[in-house]
Amino acid sequence: MSSLLHPFRVTETPHREPLLYVSSTVDGHILCVGQDGLVSIWSANLKLKKTSLILDENENKLQNRRLKWVSDSILMAHYNKLIIGTCNREIRLYELSNLEPYCQIVALETMPLCLDYSVRGEGECVISYGDEQGCVNILLISSVAETLRNWTKYPPVEEIPTISANAIYEQENITFIRWKVHNDWVTKIKYIPSMESIISSSNDDCTALVIGYVSRTKNVKHRLKTLMGSSTVSHNKFALPATASPARRFQCDESVFKVHKGVKSFDFCRESNILVTGGLDRNIRLWNPYVPGWPIAILRGHTSPIGFLCIAHDSTKIFSVSLDSTIKVWDIEDHSCLLTVMPKASQIRGEMETCYFSPDLRALYVAAETFGLLQFQYKENQNQDSGTSHNKPIFCCQYNKQLQHVISCSEDSVIKVWDLKTGQLIVKVCEAHGGAAVTCMALDAIGKRYSNI
């Protein structure tokens, strides 16, 4: 069972534009990135520590130039970097320690609407982004530390080392892959190392959520047919030139989940093999990731589109937040709603912009007009252990009517004497090591002996 620690912590924020990203840093602080490039750093209990504008105001005042906005952001925690995407088709890296610009990649083919970063192996990582054309763009980077250092050696533009996208694609340590996946803008993207796949979503019904392999097909017949039967196949190390029309994966390389009105948010849990989705139709769906035809269950209760979903680290609960800032906690096993927190109760004002769930703190951070912290505690069933007398199946038991004692023996020959009135353990008689060798007669003798204690 879940409950809230009171009181709720809600505070005003220095951000005047919507927050796009909230996450915790390695030193336990909370980092927020706004659409205008304002970064704020908070303590875990929502005390503002620092603010910094990472997009220079002078850039937006240059003549004949559009205003520059942040489209999304992601932490590259292993290398102490903050990655942002901009509406000017750029990806920028900043030093997380001082929020100074590190380098930037410019002249991308499309705008990086949503970003993801993941470690792939030792010294390897994946930076992926979805765009307005419904494409999934993937950068597979090896020797990451060396590659990042090399990027800083390129000539500066606006005092930031700048490398063009075409130059990125030609580097030996980088493989660029681009797939046409959705029929609408990509709303979220996530790399799953255990599946070697990318999960991406959109608001399109027919391509609401797609799980697809990162690179080439795993089907041998399709691979041979492609290599032998097509003279137009690129032999470069990236699947497709940046300027070419993006290709679609083979059907055998992806699973397509159709959802009414599409998917705005999703989460995947490897341990329980559960995929959850939510979107404009206000319903949460639970899926087996290998069975896209129909959901395992549909959870109903939100009255506004769902903007955030998270499976808790213990894989038993789902946290969901709708755009009207209503928060719900669901049980994965019985598909019931354990807790509902209305905006008036949490004192969170305005429409939800972004959220972050911290498994370490068991806390949900909700960014709207105000910035709120809701910390959860789980009430364990206190009678759970009292109803379990042994770790192994019970072999036999006897009852002493005079003293109202119960003597029980488990399959591993652990004998215990219990007070039936209080349900308390009086004494653990013995623990044999020869298996379940205690007979009912012996147990009865033991019971008479210890009932006289």
Side-chain angles (χ1 to χ4, degrees):
M1 193 68 179
S2 298
S3 65
L4 286 174
L5 294 178
H6 295 277
F8 302 115
R9 294 175 183 168
V10 179
T11 185
E12 301 292 333
T13 76
H15 295 268
R16 295 296 173 261
E17 299 295 337
L19 283 175
L20 300 175
Y21 180 69
V22 177
S23 182
S24 59
T25 61
V26 292
D27 58 0
H29 289 97
I30 302 299
L31 179 141
C32 303
V33 181
Q35 192 177 57
D36 58 353
L38 182 65
V39 176
S40 59
I41 298 177
W42 306 72
S43 66
N45 59 356
L46 292 193
K47 291 187 177 180
L48 185 61
K49 297 291 185 180
K50 178 183 177 182
T51 61
S52 178
L53 187 63
I54 58 176
L55 292 182
D56 191 350
E57 293 181 350
N58 294 327
E59 296 182 46
N60 291 332
K61 294 179 180 179
L62 296 177
Q63 294 181 353
N64 302 323
R65 186 162 184 177
R66 296 183 303 170
L67 291 175
K68 185 174 291 188
W69 296 96
V70 176
S71 55
D72 197 15
S73 183
I74 195 77
L75 277 181
M76 197 178 187
H78 298 83
Y79 299 94
N80 200 39
K81 301 289 186 294
L82 172 67
I83 306 175
I84 70 164
T86 75
C87 64
N88 288 9
R89 296 185 291 118
E90 300 169 343
I91 291 178
R92 285 190 174 187
L93 277 68
Y94 290 82
E95 285 285 0
L96 194 56
S97 57
N98 54 18
L99 296 176
E100 292 294 325
Y102 184 81
C103 66
Q104 63 179 350
I105 304 170
V106 299
L108 299 174
E109 182 71 13
T110 52
M111 185 193 307
L113 292 177
C114 49
L115 289 165
D116 182 62
Y117 164 81
S118 177
V119 175
R120 198 182 190 204
E122 186 175 354
E124 298 181 349
C125 76
V126 179
I127 298 176
S128 55
Y129 63 92
D131 59 32
E132 74 276 12
Q133 295 182 6
C135 294
V136 168
N137 304 266
I138 308 163
L139 291 171
L140 305 178
I141 306 176
S142 59
S143 304
V144 179
E146 179 185 351
T147 301
L148 293 180
R149 285 193 297 269
N150 290 336
W151 288 356
T152 62
K153 299 176 182 178
Y154 279 79
V157 175
E158 299 170 356
E159 300 181 354
I160 305 175
T162 302
I163 179 172
S164 68
N166 288 333
I168 286 285
Y169 305 147
E170 295 172 358
Q171 292 187 357
E172 293 182 358
N173 294 340
I174 297 177
T175 299
F176 174 72
I177 302 167
R178 189 180 188 209
W179 299 111
K180 173 65 176 177
V181 178
H182 300 279
N183 300 328
D184 200 352
W185 291 11
V186 181
T187 55
K188 186 175 180 179
I189 189 169
K190 187 178 183 67
Y191 173 71
I192 308 298
S194 61
M195 302 170 66
E196 294 186 8
S197 300
I198 292 280
I199 304 180
S200 55
S201 61
S202 75
N203 289 328
D204 174 63
D205 292 29
C206 297
T207 57
L209 185 133
V210 178
I211 304 176
Y213 288 121
V214 168
S215 53
R216 60 185 179 179
T217 178
K218 301 294 183 181
N219 186 289
V220 177
K221 291 183 179 180
H222 277 292
R223 192 183 303 171
L224 291 175
K225 183 178 179 180
T226 302
L227 293 175
M228 297 175 63
S230 177
S231 60
T232 61
V233 174
S234 171
H235 299 283
N236 295 330
K237 64 185 181 67
F238 46 87
L240 199 67
T243 56
S245 299
R248 288 188 176 272
R249 299 186 188 98
F250 290 117
Q251 291 184 358
C252 62
D253 286 341
E254 63 182 20
S255 299
V256 180
F257 297 73
K258 297 181 180 180
V259 179
H260 180 56
K261 295 185 178 181
V263 170
K264 289 184 67 66
S265 182
F266 63 84
D267 198 14
F268 170 74
C269 177
R270 176 186 176 185
E271 288 72 23
S272 58
N273 197 38
I274 288 290
L275 176 72
V276 294
T277 62
L280 296 175
D281 73 342
R282 301 168 294 177
N283 294 327
I284 299 171
R285 291 173 172 83
L286 278 67
W287 308 81
N288 182 324
Y290 301 101
V291 185
W294 58 88
I296 299 171
I298 300 178
L299 310 181
R300 297 179 173 89
H302 280 289
T303 57
S304 181
I306 297 165
F308 173 81
L309 285 171
C310 176
I311 301 176
H313 69 290
D314 59 3
S315 305
T316 63
K317 297 174 182 63
I318 300 170
F319 296 89
S320 63
V321 185
S322 55
L323 295 186
D324 62 356
S325 298
T326 298
I327 301 163
K328 288 181 177 288
V329 184
W330 309 82
D331 187 280
I332 288 183
E333 293 182 357
D334 60 17
H335 309 148
S336 62
C337 182
L338 303 175
L339 181 70
T340 298
V341 183
M342 304 302 292
K344 286 187 178 180
S346 64
Q347 302 176 4
I348 297 175
R349 298 197 314 269
E351 187 173 286
M352 186 273 288
E353 297 166 356
T354 189
C355 296
Y356 170 69
F357 179 74
S358 170
D360 296 331
L361 299 173
R362 287 182 175 180
L364 180 67
Y365 295 86
V366 181
E369 290 182 10
T370 54
F371 193 26
L373 163 63
L374 284 75
Q375 196 160 13
F376 296 87
Q377 65 177 356
Y378 302 133
K379 292 182 179 178
E380 303 295 340
N381 188 356
Q382 297 178 353
N383 297 324
Q384 183 175 359
D385 294 335
S386 62
T388 304
S389 59
H390 294 269
N391 294 327
K392 296 291 184 179
I394 294 176
F395 181 74
C396 52
C397 64
Q398 291 289 325
Y399 171 59
N400 185 301
K401 183 183 294 186
Q402 182 179 0
L403 298 176
Q404 295 188 358
H405 288 174
V406 173
I407 305 95
S408 61
C409 175
S410 61
E411 225 173 42
D412 56 355
S413 295
V414 174
I415 302 173
K416 297 182 179 181
V417 180
W418 306 84
D419 189 321
L420 189 62
K421 295 179 180 179
T422 63
Q424 299 296 316
L425 176 66
I426 301 174
V427 63
K428 181 177 178 182
V429 177
C430 67
E431 183 174 354
H433 299 285
V438 181
T439 64
C440 290
M441 185 180 298
L443 185 64
D444 186 42
I446 293 171
K448 290 179 180 178
R449 173 186 173 187
Y450 281 91
S451 293
N452 295 323
I453 295 177

